[in-house]
Amino acid sequence: DIRSLGCEEKRELLATIEQAVAFVTTMIFQDGSSQLSSEQVLTSSVKGVVVLVKNQTDHPCPPSYSSIDYTWNAANENDKLIYLKTEWSSLWEQEQQAHKKFAWQVLFQMLHCKVPIICFNAKDFLRTLLQVYGNEISWKQVADSVVLDPRIAAWLINPSDTVPSFESLIQKYFEKPFSMGTVNTDTGTLRNASVSTLKLFFLIYLYQYQNLRVNLEKLYNVMRYLARDLQVQGLWKLFCTLELPLIKILAVMETHKIHVNTQELKKTSDILGLRLKELEQEAYQVAGGQFLLTSSSQLREVLFEKLKLHVLCEKVHRTEIQQLVSTSEVVLNKLQDLHPLPKIILEYRQVHKMKSTYVDGLQTCIRKGFISSTWNQTGTVTGRLSAKQPNIQGISKHPVRITKKQYIKGKEAEIVTISPRTLFVSKKGYSFLAADFSHIELRILADLSSEPELLKLFQEPETTDIFSTVASQWKGIPSEEVKHADREQAKRIVYSVVYGAGKERLADSLGITPLQASQFIESFMQKYKKVHEFTKKTIEQCRNKGYVVSIMGRKRPLVNINAQDYKLRTQAERQAVNFVVQGSAADLCKMAMVEIFTSVVISPTLTARLIAQIHDELLFEVEDSQILEFSALVKRTMESLQQTTALEVPLKV
DNA sequence: ACGTGGACGCTACG
DNA sequence: CGTAGCGTCC
């Protein structure tokens, strides 16, 4: 505990840190739990930080990906365990101020000496430091720290297992050696002993403290094991140059708050609520009775048992599990001419989604007028990021038009357009800047397949509209005769190939039969033969190795690729193709994030901050005076990834 | 009567 | 293909 240290001892501690080969660390919460406890309470605030200082002199080697021979030391007789309190009740007391300052000094030195900091959920650790010392430091100061997160390592080795806790990580990688769970729980026996309350608390404190030391040792050993495994599997470079730098970027992103126009939010909620009431009444009228519009089972009853609309319609889509007639958008679209109800339901659903998810749902995420999403780096199997509370990646793009019946005298009707993205407002003197890769997945498909027709499409600068050109090429009609419907169809087919979608899903999205859909896919593959070769090669490779690989070497094992069951096997085949394209796109987008972050950190003037990543799009908040300079930097950096990754196809931003 | 958790359906995003 | 999140129903 640094509070018990004298002046000389503090100097010694800083010297020890200077010589450290690694730090193993965890946050401690008010309730006594840590980042290593499975029952992590999110509501409990942070009390302090415990650091195990690995202090060997033999092999001081940073985790540079070039040093494959990276050796770790497991011996621990020289290791120091330090406790840094980060929460202070009364800041005006001089003694406490001194402690806070010294704690910060220790952490600052840890972050800047380029010695690896090992932490389970490192992003939360960094974000907390940024929040606690927000007044003392700028976000740029976490940039040169080297953090290692074993959870991310485990996810990289197999993205299918999420590793929900530290305990599960230990169980997975050291199945028997340690007996987890038994160490942690038994404080009841202490309570029965006839000791004073003070002594009891001291014993519990000491007990947890020792337990923590053991767990931090385990964490270090797991990381050691995982590092070796990453190197063996060829994932070390990806880990060090992409995923680890990303931890800091996400931590910084989570500390940034986006302002929301709460008045407008309230107003639109009311408008949408009124419109829902109107639609509800209209639906009851044409249905000839009341029912719950949000219930698909009740709607199914009305549409198909009461009105018997499906008999007039051939081949309607069924639900996945129960194989009932679906009430989804595609089915409702087909039923539109038979009855007025489907159209009303479609509008109701659109408005309801808007209200519940993007307006009322957003409101629950707002704290003091601001929102900031939580980013999950290990939440997907494809290498993408995911976001929650709010899911900023899923916020509706297209506006919804509402014809508002004016209840105030005067105007009779008013058309209001509601687009949720406009509810976010930038800081004063700043603007939002969005930069997105144009058709990134299709470009990657072109590169991976080396399909000449597809490559030509992107290499020739006269191509203005990719999907119109594909439609004209594929159907063999002049580009002037390509209609909107042709373009839309071409787009859907292209992406069903890119995403590896099957005939069923394409059929649904186009409103055609699976047979017609498979014919479309076949004729597409006939035209672009190399694309077909690519999918065949990918599946074949997956069958042999048991996994597929993205352009940056990201892996996805697919155990079902050799399954007997047709459904399981073909699903794995589509997942294999999809992973290579989607995963490679994720690689590129993450690389762009890292490079832009580095440029901004190096620059003494640039202040632009990343706000969100919507897969192929990066959203920044930029000082108005820096927009031109920064947007040029972003565009240049993103497009130059073609050379960095040696792509055949140019990238366009 | 009320809350909770899981299965299921639907639909935004890419 | 694969995320989050809203909703009902049991």
Side-chain angles (χ1 to χ4, degrees), chain A residues 318-349:
Chain A
R318 289 182 176 270
T319 57
E320 186 60 42
I321 314 290
Q322 297 198 18
Q323 293 295 314
L324 301 169
V325 181
S326 170
T327 65
S328 66
E329 194 181 330
V330 270
V331 176
L332 262 40
N333 272 325
K334 286 185 195 171
L335 301 176
Q336 270 194 77
D337 301 331
L338 303 174
H339 198 275
L341 186 55
K343 211 181 174 82
I344 294 165
I345 298 293
L346 283 170
E347 191 183 344
Y348 186 90
R349 287 217 180 125

Side-chain angles (χ1 to χ4, degrees), chain A residues 280-293 296-312 325 327 335 338-339 341-342:
Chain A
E280 194 179 19
Q281 289 309 314
E282 284 179 40
Y284 295 162
Q285 287 268 315
V286 299
Q290 297 197 355
F291 66 103
L292 194 52
L293 294 204
S296 47
S297 75
Q298 289 187 30
L299 176 63
R300 184 152 39 234
E301 204 177 308
V302 172
L303 286 176
F304 308 124
E305 277 164 45
K306 193 171 165 188
L307 301 171
K308 306 224 181 286
L309 291 183
H310 65 297
V311 292
L312 304 163
V325 181
T327 65
L335 301 176
L338 303 174
H339 198 275
L341 186 55

Side-chain angles (χ1 to χ4, degrees), chain A residues 473-533:
Chain A
Q473 261 189 28
W474 171 49
K475 295 198 163 183
I477 53 175
S479 51
E480 307 84 54
E481 285 174 34
V482 174
K483 298 207 179 84
H484 181 72
D486 296 320
R487 187 189 178 278
E488 243 7 64
Q489 202 175 49
K491 189 174 166 179
R492 292 266 166 91
I493 292 159
V494 164
Y495 279 109
S496 73
V497 173
V498 169
Y499 290 145
K503 56 180 189 287
E504 286 86 4
R505 184 125 183 194
L506 177 61
D508 285 350
S509 88
L510 285 172
I512 55 174
T513 66
L515 181 66
Q516 288 173 303
S518 65
Q519 283 166 356
F520 274 145
I521 294 171
E522 208 167 294
S523 84
F524 182 89
M525 293 300 197
Q526 198 67 33
K527 171 73 190 172
Y528 305 107
K529 286 200 170 65
K530 288 266 187 141
V531 172
H532 190 223
E533 274 178 39

Side-chain angles (χ1 to χ4, degrees), chain A residues 586-636:
Chain A
D587 292 348
L588 284 179
C589 296
K590 284 179 166 179
M591 287 174 77
M593 291 171 76
V594 172
E595 291 208 2
I596 293 165
F597 181 80
T598 308
S599 299
V600 175
V601 166
I602 287 169
S603 163
T605 51
L606 287 177
T607 56
R609 286 188 67 159
L610 185 60
I611 285 182
Q613 185 246 45
I614 304 108
H615 305 121
D616 61 351
E617 173 186 338
L618 300 178
L619 183 66
F620 299 92
E621 194 172 65
V622 192
E623 239 177 274
D624 287 336
S625 61
Q626 298 182 357
I627 288 177
L628 279 173
E629 183 193 355
F630 183 68
S631 58
L633 169 84
V634 168
K635 190 174 159 69
R636 187 176 0 108

Side-chain angles (χ1 to χ4, degrees), chain A residues 325-393:
Chain A
V325 181
S326 170
T327 65
S328 66
E329 194 181 330
V330 270
V331 176
L332 262 40
N333 272 325
K334 286 185 195 171
L335 301 176
Q336 270 194 77
D337 301 331
L338 303 174
H339 198 275
L341 186 55
K343 211 181 174 82
I344 294 165
I345 298 293
L346 283 170
E347 191 183 344
Y348 186 90
R349 287 217 180 125
Q350 192 185 31
V351 176
H352 187 264
K353 172 96 183 176
M354 184 69 79
K355 179 167 156 62
S356 64
T357 307
Y358 305 122
V359 180
D360 298 349
L362 197 68
Q363 252 164 342
T364 66
C365 300
I366 296 176
R367 254 183 284 277
K368 294 172 184 170
F370 296 89
I371 57 123
S372 59
S373 295
T374 305
W375 295 88
N376 191 351
Q377 201 174 342
T378 58
T380 68
V381 289
T382 54
R384 280 182 171 186
L385 297 173
S386 72
K388 65 179 183 185
Q389 280 176 340
N391 176 12
I392 204 164
Q393 295 179 317

Side-chain angles (χ1 to χ4, degrees), chain A residues 236-487:
Chain A
W236 188 240
K237 183 179 175 179
L238 181 68
F239 183 63
C240 293
T241 64
L242 210 58
E243 300 299 344
L244 292 186
L246 210 61
I247 298 172
K248 301 171 238 175
I249 298 174
L250 298 185
V252 170
M253 206 149 72
E254 285 187 8
T255 61
H256 194 264
K257 296 184 182 331
I258 308 166
H259 188 62
V260 180
N261 188 341
T262 41
Q263 284 144 31
E264 191 66 24
L265 209 59
K266 180 80 187 69
K267 211 181 90 190
T268 48
S269 179
D270 293 343
I271 293 169
L272 294 168
L274 284 174
R275 183 69 190 132
L276 286 178
K277 281 245 161 64
E278 288 172 13
L279 288 164
E280 194 179 19
Q281 289 309 314
E282 284 179 40
Y284 295 162
Q285 287 268 315
V286 299
Q290 297 197 355
F291 66 103
L292 194 52
L293 294 204
T294 45
S295 163
S296 47
S297 75
Q298 289 187 30
L299 176 63
R300 184 152 39 234
E301 204 177 308
V302 172
L303 286 176
F304 308 124
E305 277 164 45
K306 193 171 165 188
L307 301 171
K308 306 224 181 286
L309 291 183
H310 65 297
V311 292
L312 304 163
C313 196
E314 86 280 1
K315 283 272 178 190
V316 274
H317 183 237
R318 289 182 176 270
T319 57
E320 186 60 42
I321 314 290
Q322 297 198 18
Q323 293 295 314
L324 301 169
V325 181
S326 170
T327 65
S328 66
E329 194 181 330
V330 270
V331 176
L332 262 40
N333 272 325
K334 286 185 195 171
L335 301 176
Q336 270 194 77
D337 301 331
L338 303 174
H339 198 275
L341 186 55
K343 211 181 174 82
I344 294 165
I345 298 293
L346 283 170
E347 191 183 344
Y348 186 90
R349 287 217 180 125
Q350 192 185 31
V351 176
H352 187 264
K353 172 96 183 176
M354 184 69 79
K355 179 167 156 62
S356 64
T357 307
Y358 305 122
V359 180
D360 298 349
L362 197 68
Q363 252 164 342
T364 66
C365 300
I366 296 176
R367 254 183 284 277
K368 294 172 184 170
F370 296 89
I371 57 123
S372 59
S373 295
T374 305
W375 295 88
N376 191 351
Q377 201 174 342
T378 58
T380 68
V381 289
T382 54
R384 280 182 171 186
L385 297 173
S386 72
K388 65 179 183 185
Q389 280 176 340
N391 176 12
I392 204 164
Q393 295 179 317
I395 287 169
S396 176
K397 212 177 172 180
H398 301 293
V400 157
R401 267 198 299 280
I402 302 284
T403 49
K404 184 169 71 170
K405 294 236 178 69
Q406 198 67 315
Y407 41 87
I408 304 163
K409 59 187 163 53
K411 290 171 266 179
E412 60 273 15
E414 190 186 341
I415 294 172
V416 186
T417 62
I418 294 158
S419 45
R421 292 188 180 197
T422 62
L423 295 169
F424 301 100
V425 289
S426 56
K427 271 201 300 201
K428 205 169 181 185
Y430 290 73
S431 296
F432 290 136
L433 175 76
D436 64 296
F437 284 113
S438 156
H439 307 115
I440 181 98
E441 282 101 343
L442 193 52
R443 284 171 196 266
I444 284 167
L445 183 70
D447 179 87
L448 291 167
S449 64
S450 300
E451 165 56 48
E453 291 291 328
L454 232 43
L455 282 173
K456 212 170 74 190
L457 221 60
F458 291 118
Q459 281 157 354
E460 283 171 4
E462 63 263 30
T463 311
T464 49
D465 187 325
I466 296 293
F467 296 115
S468 294
T469 316
V470 170
S472 112
Q473 261 189 28
W474 171 49
K475 295 198 163 183
I477 53 175
S479 51
E480 307 84 54
E481 285 174 34
V482 174
K483 298 207 179 84
H484 181 72
D486 296 320
R487 187 189 178 278

